[in-house]
């Protein structure tokens, strides 16, 4: 068998520009370059000129690269031909296929001509090694196999690196889209808050204008808080840190909670908002009541937001299927509706059905995504049953009921929905806080706000601005025989934070209630506060009624036990 000229190279490609450009680069490096436009032409050139190296594109007319590889390996005179497959197919399955067809090497497009040259020169060296060791054919074949395996490993690593690069680029783009969207959504309410706050400084403002400015600031502040809560929930879901629980809960009472919460919003728009029950409903199911309400509030809240006139209905039904029994909640509105194309984008993060929707109604585009993820985490699903432009939308959320052994079926769910799902301590009219409160808070604005809330409720307030002063104040009040009835402890302060101060107070024997005040609302924040020695946990921004109710609950055992 004649040895081929190791300097002779055949380049096969149906792209004239690539054929000319790469051939020129290879010739400049000392190769004698032969060319062919497809596999059939290449076979004829190989039979006549016997090149040592063949570089072939994958996709070509008449005969493609894989077929050419098989034909070359079938020719007895080409046992030393080194084949390099060049293609845009970069999946690992394609790499493996290339070697099975008979290729010795694989390069993914687009590639640098210098890389191609280096691979061709590597092929020269491999051929030379085979020639030098042809008397030891078995050893040569083993070496060639090892080199082939090495090439596969290198290509696999290259594919993995390329995939990681693409994933990083996609993540960077997602981050950019997220920041752009959030910048817009946060700046919009902030513009109103700051603008109307400036208006309040105008001494010529009428009482009506002043009240409207205050309502506008509060409304936009609540909207801003909704945005932050959506971002936190989505972040926890994406990080796999959001947990769902299964406890016995009343679906009728939970649905009644949602109706009560959203009824005011619907009434402001002149909408009919009602809950219907389609057949008997289980008295209790196994579900996460917090996430249940969140999902239904998102769906019904969206329906109200996108409905200008008509009605929004929640239809609840029980679907019996043994161990796989489910509760279905249909949310049906007469709102703006969607086209099929708009509906297809609905569950993508940071996206609303129509770009103009954000300008008209606002929102992060996260509510439905969060709801969908939550339902799936609970073992259910959300789907669009029907939607038509200007005719409304019909959503359906389905969640499993869990075991219903011994659970009563309610034939008249409407009567049961009148009682709330959760009992909260409620202050009686005229009730005041007759207590001494130590407020540990480093923010001057928050100090003034919380002191105003508490003193208006009848409390005597002592303020300190760090944890060390809080500990000193508690110890001093004990020595005077006038201990504080309750401590409100900010958890992040200079000198000494609330976590350290609470732990130190417990160590010093203080056994009164300590209520944590914190802007941290991520998973584990409450547990961290309780572990430090706090008895309860209130998140910022503060709801003044909730703050007073929590204090009352800890000062009045009969309320705390409700």
């Amino acid at each position: 068998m004649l040895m081929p000229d190791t300097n002779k190279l055949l380049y096969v490609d149906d792209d004239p520009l690539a054929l000319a450009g790469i051939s020129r680069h290879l010739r400049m490096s000392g190769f004698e370059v032969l060319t062919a436009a497809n596999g059939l032409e290449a076979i004829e050139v190989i039979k006549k000129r016997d090149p040592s190296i063949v570089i072939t594109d994958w996709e070509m007319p008449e005969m493609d690269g894989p077929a050419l590889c098989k034909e070359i390996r079938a020719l007895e005179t080409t046992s030393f031909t080194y084949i390099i497959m060049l293609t845009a197919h970069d999946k690992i399955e394609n790499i493996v296929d290339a070697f099975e067809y008979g290729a010795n090497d694989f390069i993914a497009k687009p590639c640098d001509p210098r890389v191609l040259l280096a691979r061709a020169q590597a092929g020269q060296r491999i051929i030379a090694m085979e020639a030098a060791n042809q008397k030891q054919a078995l050893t040569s074949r083993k070496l060639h196999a090892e080199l082939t395996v090495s090439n596969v490993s290198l290509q696999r690593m290259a594919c993995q690196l390329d995939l990681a690069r693409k994933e990083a680029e996609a993540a960077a783009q997602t981050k950019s889209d997220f920041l752009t969207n959030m910048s817009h959504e946060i700046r919009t309410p902030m513009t109103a808050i700051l603008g109307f706050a400036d208006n309040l400084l105008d001494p010529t403002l009428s009482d009506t204008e002043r009240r409207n400015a205050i309502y506008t600031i509060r409304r936009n502040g609540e909207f801003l808080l909704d945005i932050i809560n959506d971002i936190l929930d989505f972040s926890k879901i994406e990080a796999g840190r959001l947990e769902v629980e299964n406890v016995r809960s009343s679906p009728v009472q939970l649905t009644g909670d949602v109706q009560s919460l959203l009824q005011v919003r619907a009434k402001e728009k002149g909408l009919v908002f009602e809950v219907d029950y389609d057949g008997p409903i289980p008295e209790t199911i196994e579900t996460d009541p917090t996430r249940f309400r969140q999902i239904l509030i998102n769906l019904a809240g969206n329906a109200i937001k996108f409905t200008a006139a008509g009605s929004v209905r929640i239809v609840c039904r029980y679907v019996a299927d043994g161990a796989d029994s489910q509760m279905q909640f249909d949310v049906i509105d007469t709102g703006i509706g969607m086209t099929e194309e708009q509906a297809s984008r609905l569950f993508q993060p940071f996206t609303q059905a129509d770009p103009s929707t954000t300008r008209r109604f606002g929102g992060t585009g996260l509510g439905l995504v969060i709801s969908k993820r939550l339902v799936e985490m609970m073992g259910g699903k959300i789907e669009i049953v029907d939607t038509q432009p200007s005719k409304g939308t019909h959503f359906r959320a389905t969640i499993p009921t869990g075991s219903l052994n011994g659970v009563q079926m309610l034939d008249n769910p409407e009567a049961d929905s009148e009682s709330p799902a959760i009992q909260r301590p409620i202050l009686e009219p005229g009730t005041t806080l007759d207590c001494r409160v130590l407020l540990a808070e480093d923010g001057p604005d928050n100090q003034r706000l919380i002191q105003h809330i508490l003193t208006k409720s009848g409390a005597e307030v002592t303020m300190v601005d760090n944890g060390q002063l809080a500990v000193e104040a508690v110890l001093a009040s004990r020595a005077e025989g006038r201990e504080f009835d309750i401590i409100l402890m900010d958890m992040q302060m200079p000198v000494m934070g609330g976590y350290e101060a609470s732990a130190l107070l417990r160590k010093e024997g203080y056994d009164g209630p300590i209520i944590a005040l914190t802007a941290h609302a991520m998973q584990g924040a409450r547990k961290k506060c309780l572990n430090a020695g706090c008895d309860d946990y209130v998140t910022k921004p503060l709801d003044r009624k909730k703050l007073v109710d929590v204090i009352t609950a800890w000062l009045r055992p009969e309320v705390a036990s409700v």
Side-chain angles (χ1 to χ4, degrees):
M1 183 183 299
L2 295 176
M3 284 293 298
D5 182 356
T6 60
N7 223 35
K8 194 180 297 182
L9 181 149
L10 171 62
Y11 180 64
V12 190
D13 199 326
D14 64 328
D15 183 349
L17 293 177
L19 200 63
I22 294 177
S23 296
R24 183 170 61 254
H25 186 82
L26 293 170
R27 286 192 184 98
M28 291 174 62
S29 301
F31 278 101
E32 178 187 348
V33 181
L34 311 172
T35 61
N38 58 57
L40 291 178
E41 290 183 12
I43 290 297
E44 295 303 317
V45 173
I46 291 170
K47 289 178 179 178
K48 294 177 181 178
R49 304 293 300 276
D50 197 19
S52 62
I53 298 173
V54 175
I55 300 174
T56 178
D57 192 19
W58 186 296
E59 294 184 356
M60 296 180 294
E62 299 186 21
M63 180 186 288
D64 61 13
L68 175 59
C69 285
K70 293 178 181 178
E71 287 293 325
I72 292 174
R73 293 310 179 205
L75 297 174
E76 293 183 359
T77 59
T78 59
S79 60
F80 288 92
T81 304
Y82 190 87
I83 304 174
I84 301 174
M85 185 73 77
L86 181 63
T87 179
H89 297 296
D90 60 354
K91 293 182 179 178
I92 193 64
E93 293 85 0
N94 300 121
I95 298 172
V96 173
D97 288 344
F99 288 109
E100 289 181 352
Y101 293 140
N104 301 90
D105 204 349
F106 179 98
I107 302 178
K109 291 181 179 179
C111 71
D112 191 317
R114 292 172 296 181
V115 174
L116 192 59
L117 173 62
R119 297 289 184 86
Q121 291 171 337
Q124 282 182 309
R125 291 192 292 272
I126 291 171
I127 293 171
M129 290 170 62
E130 287 183 345
N133 294 285
Q134 58 181 312
K135 292 183 180 180
Q136 300 176 355
L138 183 61
T139 303
S140 295
R141 284 194 296 272
K142 181 179 178 181
L143 176 61
H144 186 268
E146 291 173 352
L147 288 171
T148 299
V149 171
S150 176
N151 281 334
V152 172
S153 298
L154 289 172
Q155 291 297 330
R156 189 186 302 271
M157 290 175 60
C159 285
Q160 291 172 342
L161 289 172
D162 187 57
L163 179 61
R165 175 184 60 79
K166 291 177 180 177
E167 288 177 347
E169 290 174 351
Q173 183 60 47
T174 299
K175 179 181 178 181
S176 176
D177 293 343
F178 170 80
L179 292 176
T180 299
N181 189 290
M182 288 304 100
S183 174
H184 172 269
E185 291 305 314
I186 291 172
R187 287 174 184 273
T188 298
M190 283 303 300
T191 299
I193 291 169
L194 296 175
F196 279 93
D198 287 339
N199 288 353
L200 289 174
L201 298 174
D202 183 355
T204 66
L205 217 61
S206 69
D207 288 344
T208 299
E209 290 173 323
R210 194 175 299 278
R211 279 195 300 272
N212 288 338
I214 292 170
Y215 290 143
T216 301
I217 289 171
R218 180 171 182 83
R219 184 172 61 252
N220 281 274
E222 291 172 347
F223 177 60
L224 191 59
L225 183 60
D226 287 341
I227 292 173
I228 293 170
N229 287 336
D230 276 352
I231 295 171
L232 291 177
D233 274 346
F234 185 74
S235 299
K236 287 186 282 188
I237 291 171
E238 289 296 288
R241 294 178 180 175
L242 190 143
E243 299 177 353
V244 297
E245 59 178 351
N246 279 322
V247 297
R248 279 284 159 196
S249 308
S250 166
V252 174
Q253 292 179 349
L254 291 172
T255 306
D257 274 356
V258 174
Q259 183 182 20
S260 176
L261 181 65
L262 298 179
Q263 189 68 263
V264 174
R265 196 184 305 177
K267 189 174 294 185
E268 287 175 350
K269 298 186 70 175
L271 302 176
V272 174
F273 180 40
E274 55 190 10
V275 176
D276 296 330
Y277 296 94
D278 183 7
I281 303 295
E283 184 176 26
T284 62
I285 61 174
E286 292 180 356
T287 191
D288 186 321
T290 301
R291 300 307 172 188
F292 179 105
R293 276 191 297 268
Q294 183 176 359
I295 293 162
L296 210 51
I297 287 171
N298 267 332
L299 291 176
N302 265 2
I304 293 171
K305 178 164 69 171
F306 297 122
T307 302
S311 65
V312 174
R313 294 171 57 231
I314 300 176
V315 180
C316 308
R317 71 177 59 85
Y318 167 63
V319 181
D321 190 17
D324 297 322
S325 294
Q326 300 172 328
M327 285 295 302
Q328 286 184 350
F329 300 89
D330 291 3
V331 178
I332 308 166
D333 65 62
T334 58
I336 61 176
M338 293 172 285
T339 65
E340 185 176 341
E341 193 273 333
Q342 289 170 342
S344 68
R345 298 198 303 266
L346 204 57
F347 294 105
Q348 297 175 15
F350 320 116
T351 302
Q352 290 185 328
D354 184 341
S356 65
T357 301
T358 301
R359 295 191 294 273
R360 291 172 59 196
F361 300 99
T364 62
L366 287 176
L368 285 177
V369 178
I370 292 170
S371 297
K372 183 174 184 292
R373 302 281 181 88
L374 289 175
V375 167
E376 290 171 350
M377 290 172 68
M378 295 163 71
K381 64 178 180 178
I382 285 182
E383 57 188 328
I384 302 174
V385 178
D386 184 38
T387 183
Q388 298 180 48
S390 303
K391 293 186 178 181
T393 302
H394 179 176
F395 280 97
R396 174 172 292 165
T398 304
I399 60 171
T401 64
S403 173
L404 295 179
N405 290 336
V407 174
Q408 179 184 352
M409 299 299 292
L410 303 175
D411 294 318
N412 186 20
E414 290 84 354
D416 195 63
S417 66
E418 295 176 358
S419 59
I422 295 179
Q423 298 290 336
R424 296 183 177 88
I426 300 175
L427 286 176
E428 297 175 0
T431 301
T432 59
L433 294 177
D434 183 16
C435 61
R436 296 186 70 231
V437 179
L438 175 64
L439 171 62
E441 164 66 60
D442 64 316
D445 293 334
N446 285 338
Q447 285 179 347
R448 290 194 294 272
L449 173 63
I450 299 170
Q451 183 181 37
H452 173 77
I453 294 172
L454 297 179
T455 53
K456 290 286 284 186
S457 299
E460 177 189 338
V461 182
T462 300
M463 287 194 303
V464 293
D465 56 16
N466 64 61
Q468 181 174 317
L469 292 178
V471 173
E472 293 172 359
V474 171
L475 297 180
S477 68
R478 177 191 293 175
E480 295 171 0
R482 295 184 67 243
E483 291 201 43
F484 293 104
D485 297 302
I486 198 162
I487 298 173
L488 301 181
M489 184 76 74
D490 184 29
M491 304 313 289
Q492 188 166 316
M493 297 181 288
V495 184
M496 180 185 291
Y499 300 105
E500 298 88 344
S502 299
L504 185 55
L505 284 172
R506 294 309 187 197
K507 185 177 180 181
E508 292 291 335
Y510 177 77
D511 59 0
I514 302 176
I515 309 301
L517 304 179
T518 177
H520 294 295
M522 297 294 281
Q523 181 185 12
R526 178 185 179 88
K527 184 177 180 181
K528 185 177 179 182
C529 293
L530 299 182
N531 288 343
C534 297
D535 297 287
D536 213 331
Y537 169 94
V538 177
T539 58
K540 299 177 182 177
L542 298 174
D543 180 315
R544 64 180 62 205
K545 182 180 182 305
K546 181 177 180 181
L547 176 63
V548 174
D549 284 351
V550 168
I551 294 173
T552 302
W554 282 99
L555 295 179
R556 293 170 52 186
E558 71 275 13
V559 176
S561 62
V562 173

